[in-house]
Amino acid sequence: MARIKHIALTTEDPGKVAEFYKAAFGWKEIRRSPSGAVFLTDGAINLAILNWKTEKDADVGAHGPNYSGIHHFGVEVDDLGLASEKLDAASGQRLTQKAGIEAPMTPGHHRNFEMKWAGPDGVVFDISHTGWDGTS
């Protein structure tokens, strides 16, 4: 069964929002990206706090650019190819392809790999066979 392991928020100030959740809930910071995104975990789910999306982003989402709130969720699947076939059959909309899926991982390191999709209402979600940092 596929499992929800990732939630992403978009906001104008990811650092400020991350500090709020760390103080309020004691969540652990995993990393910060050069773009300013902050990644937190509660030990079971990865929370990505991202910069606002723009019209140039393939995954701008149903709420459009400069939206603050839940942007997408991520589902860990056992088989990325099979999950993609099922999504195609269900008329899911591919937002990104799976190029690079076979790139080797550095020994002892986790490498997240995800594909972005949208459902019939334009809500964005990821699928990943490698999961997200900080998830159980």
Side-chain angles (χ1 to χ4, degrees):
M1 176 187 302
R3 299 150 305 278
I4 296 174
K5 292 291 186 170
H6 167 72
I7 299 172
L9 309 177
T10 51
T11 183
E12 184 176 19
D13 189 343
K16 179 181 177 182
V17 172
E19 292 307 317
F20 167 79
Y21 286 114
K22 287 167 35 179
F25 299 118
W27 293 344
K28 179 183 169 191
E29 184 172 320
I30 300 168
R31 67 182 172 90
R32 290 181 184 237
S33 73
S35 68
V38 183
F39 300 85
L40 306 177
T41 186
D42 66 355
I45 292 185
N46 170 287
L47 176 68
I49 305 170
L50 310 173
N51 292 300
W52 279 338
K53 298 291 183 171
T54 71
E55 291 291 349
K56 295 178 182 178
D57 293 305
D59 64 338
V60 67
H63 296 289
N66 302 332
Y67 170 74
S68 292
I70 296 176
H71 179 266
H72 69 270
F73 62 95
V75 179
E76 187 176 341
V77 297
D78 295 324
D79 183 311
L80 197 66
L82 181 59
S84 295
E85 289 174 15
K86 287 181 178 181
L87 286 163
D88 281 333
S91 299
Q93 178 187 0
R94 285 180 191 243
L95 301 178
T96 61
Q97 298 300 315
K98 61 179 184 174
I101 187 174
E102 301 304 329
M105 284 187 255
T106 305
H109 289 83
H110 176 85
R111 179 178 64 89
N112 178 46
F113 180 85
E114 60 194 24
M115 289 178 64
K116 296 204 175 287
W117 290 77
D121 53 3
V123 172
V124 176
F125 59 93
D126 302 330
I127 61 170
S128 175
H129 66 299
T130 61
W132 289 266
D133 288 337
T135 64
S136 56

